[in-house]
Amino acid sequence: MFQRPWTRRRILVLGLNTLAGVGTAVAAKAAYRHQKVQSQVQWLASVDRSFAIEGNTALRERAAAKGLLYGAAARRGDLEADPSLAIQYGRECNVLVPEWELKWSAGSSLLRPTPSSFNFTDADWMVNFAQAQDLIFRGHTLIWHLCLPSWFETTVTRNNAEQFLVQHIKTVVGHFAGRISSWDVVNEAIEPNDGRADGLRNTPWLNFIGEDYIDLAFRVAAISDPKALLVYNDYDLEYDIPSHEAKRSAVLKLLERLKSKGTPIHALGIQGHLAGHETRFNAQKFRKFLADVASLGLKILITEMDVSEEGLPADFQERDRIMAGAYEDFLSATLDEQAVTALITWGLSDRYTWLTDFYPRSDGAAVRPLPLDENFQRKLSWNAIARAFDQAPVR
Ligand code: XIL
């Protein structure tokens, strides 16, 4: 991520020499992690990254000027309870994604109350909100191994799983046909650690239906809404570390298999959940991955971007600068790829982020992963995204 090896290396060598005196490997590892963060903080402090921008133009306009879309995920409950939040979505975004309302069951939303019923109340509210705010609406997600209702495990079997998959997609995609621009048809189906040669994750869908469940899901979605952009969505594809490299390779092979069998897949969704302490982003390798995906004739969306804070310092100004650096370094490489069409952040304001519950700071301080702070003020991460849009080539 930070391509100034001589500065970072000198700090790291200095730091590692200090570590030499540390006792156990575990302590050294923990201290090394801390050292990496400290070296990153020191590097940032030593380099003038002001994240300066010109003007006050909102992200949606900066994106549109380059033929890109910018949007964010949200929950019905937050938008309904907080009118000032709703205003921010209308101001900054041209895309809205439901964080809960189009999953089988998430948070307070239960799209699938029983094996034979659908409750579209929350999703309809979100689509109507999007239309009222002139926002494009994208659907997330049809087939996933998580956020399944309590009846799923005791009801779905090898004998009926295919029927449940087909009925769910036909009913949900059909209900919104023409009003949803793109769908995450299948989410997170790759997990190399599950040990399969094809890298597929051992999910109920795979175990009950077989590997063709992915092709089937896309074919049913395409029939149910021929106009929707159909996306395969996954995470841990971003960094130059072995687990991400293995996942990139497995995802690429999956996309190649699907394209070779004529599956109606149109795009790859890269979730973009970054880690502020992680410095191993290799822009050249990531650009190559994006180019390999694009060479299959696929578009690319960054679908859930945010930056977690594991190990970052307590001082929120230092944190903001590190996270802004993560946003800008990732996006400046990503948006150079012409096949990339959209950036979605997984929330817009720090007041409403899943990371508060899922990845809280060990010191209890509020997390700050998104472009707007808890009072809807633009942060350096907002500047970083704005700069990336401003510097991106026109599509
Ligand atoms: C998360 C939501 O943010 C949580 O509120 C919910 O409880 C679980 O799902 N990858 C995805 C998203 O594709 O659907 C997940 O969203 C975050 C990780």
Side-chain angles (χ1 to χ4, degrees):
M1 179 180 305
F2 298 111
Q3 301 305 328
R4 293 156 179 79
W6 73 270
T7 308
R8 190 165 63 88
R9 189 180 295 126
R10 189 169 67 219
I11 294 171
L12 273 181
V13 166
L14 178 67
L16 285 172
N17 287 338
T18 309
L19 280 182
V22 174
T24 65
V26 172
K29 186 171 184 294
Y32 175 70
R33 164 70 62 83
H34 178 67
Q35 179 69 20
K36 275 178 57 178
V37 172
Q38 289 315 305
S39 67
Q40 191 170 310
V41 171
Q42 287 162 359
W43 174 79
L44 268 174
S46 70
V47 174
D48 170 26
R49 283 192 88 167
S50 62
F51 301 101
I53 55 160
E54 291 181 15
N56 257 333
T57 305
L59 295 178
R60 64 182 291 171
E61 277 87 15
R62 292 177 194 257
K66 300 304 176 71
L68 289 159
L69 293 173
Y70 169 70
R75 304 169 189 170
R76 171 186 179 180
D78 300 336
L79 292 170
E80 210 165 23
D82 193 343
S84 51
L85 174 70
I87 291 168
Q88 296 302 325
Y89 278 80
R91 176 188 182 202
E92 296 285 1
C93 303
N94 35 35
V95 182
L96 177 70
V97 181
E99 186 173 345
W100 286 352
E101 294 74 11
L102 279 174
K103 290 170 178 166
W104 287 51
S105 169
S108 58
S109 284
L110 188 54
L111 176 64
R112 296 300 310 274
T114 70
S116 57
S117 64
F118 296 77
N119 178 351
F120 288 111
T121 307
D122 288 339
D124 284 339
W125 189 96
M126 291 292 277
V127 168
N128 295 333
F129 173 86
Q131 285 174 337
Q133 297 280 345
D134 191 26
L135 298 174
I136 294 165
F137 196 69
R138 78 176 308 265
H140 175 81
T141 178
L142 293 168
I143 299 299
W144 194 22
H145 60 286
L146 298 176
C147 288
L148 294 171
S150 55
W151 54 261
F152 188 94
E153 193 172 353
T154 54
T155 308
V156 180
T157 66
R158 187 179 306 279
N159 298 325
N160 63 22
E162 186 169 318
Q163 177 201 337
F164 271 101
L165 180 145
V166 170
Q167 182 195 38
H168 183 80
I169 296 174
K170 278 177 70 173
T171 307
V172 176
V173 176
H175 180 85
F176 294 105
R179 294 188 293 164
I180 290 193
S181 69
S182 68
W183 274 104
D184 288 337
V185 176
V186 174
N187 195 34
E188 304 182 359
I190 293 290
E191 179 41 82
N193 292 329
D194 281 0
R196 287 175 55 100
D198 58 14
L200 290 180
R201 182 189 299 269
N202 280 322
T203 72
W205 301 111
L206 176 73
N207 296 330
F208 289 150
I209 300 172
E211 63 178 302
D212 284 341
Y213 84 92
I214 299 173
D215 174 70
L216 176 62
F218 277 90
R219 290 182 188 278
V220 177
I223 292 166
S224 306
D225 186 353
K227 291 182 182 172
L229 185 86
L230 304 181
V231 183
Y232 172 73
N233 193 50
D234 217 327
Y235 68 100
D236 277 4
L237 301 170
E238 299 84 7
Y239 289 116
D240 186 16
I241 56 180
S243 60
H244 287 211
E245 185 58 37
K247 202 157 179 184
R248 283 192 292 269
S249 173
V251 164
L252 204 51
K253 288 188 174 76
L254 169 66
L255 297 176
E256 287 164 353
R257 287 199 303 276
L258 293 173
K259 290 296 284 183
S260 68
K261 66 173 73 171
T263 304
I265 178 172
H266 310 128
L268 169 65
I270 298 173
Q271 291 184 9
H273 293 298
L274 304 186
H277 71 275
E278 185 51 75
T279 56
R280 292 167 291 181
F281 174 70
N282 182 317
Q284 187 180 356
K285 278 193 176 179
F286 193 65
R287 288 170 190 267
K288 171 73 167 57
F289 173 63
L290 297 178
D292 289 345
V293 173
S295 71
L296 296 173
L298 296 173
K299 295 296 184 188
I300 300 164
L301 296 80
I302 306 303
T303 52
E304 307 181 16
M305 192 168 182
D306 52 23
V307 182
S308 61
E309 304 196 17
E310 182 196 350
L312 293 192
D315 179 292
F316 77 80
Q317 289 174 325
E318 284 183 353
R319 277 191 265 158
D320 283 1
R321 293 187 71 224
I322 289 174
M323 290 189 275
Y327 272 106
E328 184 167 7
D329 291 325
F330 176 80
L331 289 175
S332 60
T334 301
L335 299 182
D336 272 350
E337 171 53 61
Q338 290 280 338
V340 174
T341 61
L343 165 65
I344 309 293
T345 49
W346 205 239
L348 184 58
S349 160
D350 297 336
R351 184 182 297 184
Y352 305 100
T353 168
W354 73 306
L355 295 179
T356 298
D357 299 326
F358 279 76
Y359 295 98
R361 285 179 57 88
S362 54
D363 62 6
V367 293
R368 299 171 61 85
L370 292 167
L372 304 184
D373 71 12
E374 68 284 3
N375 297 313
F376 310 132
Q377 299 306 304
R378 293 168 170 177
K379 293 158 50 190
L380 287 181
S381 293
W382 184 97
N383 287 33
I385 296 171
R387 286 163 56 92
F389 285 143
D390 292 351
Q391 290 154 21
V394 177
R395 268 78 181 136

